[in-house]
Amino acid sequence: PHYVDFIKKKALLEKNPQLSDMFNYIIVDEFQDTNKLQLDFLILLARHKNITVVGDINQSIYRFRGAYKDNLVIFKRAFNIDDNSIFNLTKSYRSSNKILRVAHKLIAYNYDNLSDVFSVENVHGIEGGPVEVYELKNAQEEARKIAEIVLKEQKEGVPLEEICIMFRAHQYGVVIKKV
């Protein structure tokens, strides 16, 4: 259904390009998760080059749903974007420097050109504790480990309102809540 809607909208714009005149500005967030059909639609919609995209190809998690890895390259070509028009956000409010350095080392393997990989630092200079990695069998084991970590943090005096559990899909949250 989702793709059918985009196919219809794309066809409408192809037949009636003047419809794009209705939009002064177009802003796309989470651009790294767009698929090829969505990019083709955006190219038609922003024929006046009145578009800004925000995204981080390092954070693309929807390749299994069709997020297209070459969309940024195609976007840059379609809109004549040069390197001076790209702004890298090199500060993070979310993660400590230790996490950011580990992530940087892992992400570097995704690039053919290492100069495209840039470092990110915590905006407040928070160094953080060591990164811990756990290999677990399934979602139930993951939930058990999360509960174990939360209890340990509580015993060390960390209030519950300062603990955040992030998960990728709703079904993981259900399992975690049960545990």
Side-chain angles (χ1 to χ4, degrees), residues 13 16 33-34 42 48 51-52 56-57 64 80-81 84 87 108 110 113 140 159 162 168:
L13 277 173
N16 304 286
D33 294 326
T34 57
L42 287 171
H48 300 296
I51 187 167
T52 298
D56 182 350
I57 59 171
F64 68 95
N80 299 316
I81 305 297
N84 293 327
F87 302 93
N110 295 337
N113 184 0
Q140 287 75 23
E162 290 186 20
R168 187 175 50 186

Side-chain angles (χ1 to χ4, degrees), residues 2-17 19 35-45:
H2 180 66
Y3 291 104
V4 172
D5 288 343
F6 266 98
I7 290 169
K8 289 178 182 177
K9 290 173 184 172
K10 182 177 176 250
L12 182 65
L13 277 173
E14 287 171 337
K15 290 178 185 169
N16 304 286
L19 290 173
N35 61 45
K36 181 68 168 71
L37 179 60
Q38 291 167 327
L39 177 62
D40 292 343
F41 172 77
L42 287 171
I43 290 170
L44 291 169
L45 186 64

Side-chain angles (χ1 to χ4, degrees), residues 84-118:
N84 293 327
S85 298
I86 296 175
F87 302 93
N88 295 321
L89 303 178
T90 60
K91 300 293 180 189
S92 172
Y93 285 85
R94 293 182 186 169
S95 300
S96 68
N97 283 329
K98 285 199 178 181
I99 290 172
L100 294 167
R101 282 193 295 273
V102 167
H104 183 265
K105 287 178 185 176
L106 292 171
I107 288 166
Y109 291 104
N110 295 337
Y111 288 84
D112 294 329
N113 184 0
L114 287 179
S115 66
D116 290 339
V117 187
F118 58 91

Side-chain angles (χ1 to χ4, degrees), residues 20-176:
S20 68
D21 296 339
M22 296 171 47
F23 303 96
N24 293 328
Y25 304 100
I26 299 162
I27 301 172
V28 180
D29 195 14
E30 302 295 344
F31 181 77
Q32 74 275 3
D33 294 326
T34 57
N35 61 45
K36 181 68 168 71
L37 179 60
Q38 291 167 327
L39 177 62
D40 292 343
F41 172 77
L42 287 171
I43 290 170
L44 291 169
L45 186 64
R47 67 187 180 115
H48 300 296
K49 316 244 186 274
N50 54 339
I51 187 167
T52 298
V53 299
V54 179
D56 182 350
I57 59 171
N58 296 328
Q59 293 185 22
S60 182
I61 61 171
Y62 291 110
R63 295 247 165 86
F64 68 95
R65 279 192 356 199
Y68 191 56
K69 68 179 182 64
D70 293 329
N71 268 5
L72 184 59
V73 173
I74 295 167
F75 176 85
K76 287 165 59 174
R77 196 176 316 125
F79 291 99
N80 299 316
I81 305 297
D82 62 13
D83 289 342
N84 293 327
S85 298
I86 296 175
F87 302 93
N88 295 321
L89 303 178
T90 60
K91 300 293 180 189
S92 172
Y93 285 85
R94 293 182 186 169
S95 300
S96 68
N97 283 329
K98 285 199 178 181
I99 290 172
L100 294 167
R101 282 193 295 273
V102 167
H104 183 265
K105 287 178 185 176
L106 292 171
I107 288 166
Y109 291 104
N110 295 337
Y111 288 84
D112 294 329
N113 184 0
L114 287 179
S115 66
D116 290 339
V117 187
F118 58 91
S119 296
V120 178
E121 294 181 357
N122 179 276
V123 71
H124 302 294
I126 297 170
E127 197 55 31
V131 173
E132 297 178 23
V133 177
Y134 304 97
E135 185 175 348
L136 303 163
K137 294 189 302 189
N138 54 39
Q140 287 75 23
E141 284 295 307
E142 290 176 9
R144 183 198 55 75
K145 186 63 179 177
I146 290 167
E148 179 184 303
I149 292 169
V150 168
L151 290 172
K152 177 182 156 272
E153 292 295 319
Q154 275 189 291
K155 286 180 184 173
E156 292 177 4
V158 177
L160 274 178
E161 56 271 1
E162 290 186 20
I163 297 173
C164 175
I165 301 168
M166 296 186 287
F167 42 88
R168 187 175 50 186
H170 176 73
Q171 70 254 22
Y172 293 117
V174 173
V175 175
I176 292 167

